[in-house]
Amino acid sequence: METPDLSTPTRIDPRVLSRELDTLLPAERIVSVDSGNFMGYPSQYLAVPDEFGFCFTQAFQAVGLGLSTAIGAAMAQPGRLPVLGAGDGGFLMGISELETAVRLGLPLVCIVYNDAAYGAEVHHFGHGDEEVDLGSVTFPDTDIAAIARGFGAEAVTVRTVEDLQSVEAWVAAYEKGTQDRPLVIDAKIASDGGSWWLAEAFQGH
Ligand SMILES: Cc1ncc(C[n+]2csc(CCOP(=O)(O)OP(=O)(O)O)c2C)c(N)n1
Ligand SMILES: [Mg+2]
């Protein structure tokens, strides 16, 4: 099936981003997923080798556990590339653990689906035709790549498929066995109008 693409010149469709990363990143991987509107994208588009390749923290329903989950997964299975899928809100909640990943020299890929919002909450606030104030759940743009570099990680800002080229260099070093820094992908994502899985889940709220 063709991947839907609502990318704009400055924001990438999260489904296209995830599909491209599925191709770019080594298949021998362990995917961890934080909580939020975004969480279906890595779950749907990033293939994993088996059941030991997928850590889904939704059992706790708490935002912000993804990065520490991914670090734990990396320690448990050093032979696999750890890949985190997180939203901007959840990633910033747990970002102190980036220092841990840098200190441990972990090759860890953090995909941050950056919609400048607590996107899941937009579902709650924004349904129907009424005018609603989204001021408490939407944010100004945050340069997560710059913050990640401050922690000592490698980082890239992604707005288009072409911007993903720098991921290839990071992967090449990983494949040579010389990669000792996490990579944070600050993906400025386009809206697909709110993910279908949360629209469905929130129907009763
Ligand atoms: C600790 C905690 N606080 C608040 C919530 C409610 N909550 C669920 S998803 C979400 C938004 C997460 O935002 P982000 O990580 O940016 O992901 P997005 O929904 O934007 O894709 C919030 C606040 C929660 N589940 N856990
Ligand atoms: Mg968000």
Side-chain angles (χ1 to χ4, degrees):
M1 198 181 95
E2 207 175 314
T3 311
D5 188 356
L6 297 175
S7 302
T8 71
T10 54
R11 303 198 81 92
I12 188 166
D13 188 303
R15 297 162 292 193
V16 172
L17 168 81
S18 309
R19 183 199 64 194
E20 293 296 311
L21 285 169
D22 185 49
T23 308
L24 283 174
L25 298 174
E28 200 55 37
R29 62 180 76 136
I30 178 159
V31 174
S32 298
V33 184
D34 205 292
S35 180
N37 180 68
F38 77 88
M39 66 193 166
Y41 307 124
S43 305
Q44 209 177 345
Y45 287 91
L46 298 181
V48 293
D50 53 33
E51 72 272 32
F52 303 112
F54 190 62
C55 290
F56 197 58
T57 59
Q58 271 307 291
F60 298 100
Q61 289 256 329
V63 177
L65 298 177
L67 181 53
S68 40
T69 301
I71 292 171
M75 302 306 285
Q77 295 208 62
R80 286 189 176 180
L81 174 69
V83 180
L84 167 69
D88 50 323
F91 190 68
L92 289 172
M93 279 187 207
I95 198 166
S96 54
E97 292 304 333
L98 198 51
E99 189 276 335
T100 308
V102 169
R103 177 163 35 81
L104 295 176
L106 288 181
L108 158 72
V109 176
C110 303
I111 310 168
V112 184
Y113 293 84
N114 190 347
D115 62 351
Y118 283 147
E121 301 305 318
V122 172
H123 274 290
H124 277 310
F125 283 53
H127 56 79
D129 296 328
E130 330 135 46
E131 284 280 308
V132 283
D133 180 7
L134 296 176
S136 59
V137 291
T138 54
F139 319 120
D141 181 63
T142 304
D143 190 349
I144 288 176
I147 298 170
R149 284 186 204 105
F151 276 89
E154 203 166 312
V156 57
T157 303
V158 171
R159 295 180 177 281
T160 63
V161 169
E162 291 70 46
D163 291 339
L164 285 168
Q165 269 168 14
S166 43
V167 175
E168 288 175 39
W170 187 95
V171 169
Y174 174 79
E175 284 179 333
K176 271 199 289 178
T178 58
Q179 188 53 263
D180 61 358
R181 283 208 300 171
L183 172 67
V184 174
I185 300 171
D186 181 9
K188 312 292 192 186
I189 58 164
S191 173
D192 63 359
S195 56
W196 61 264
W197 53 87
L198 275 195
E200 174 97 9
F202 286 171
Q203 252 169 20
H205 286 226

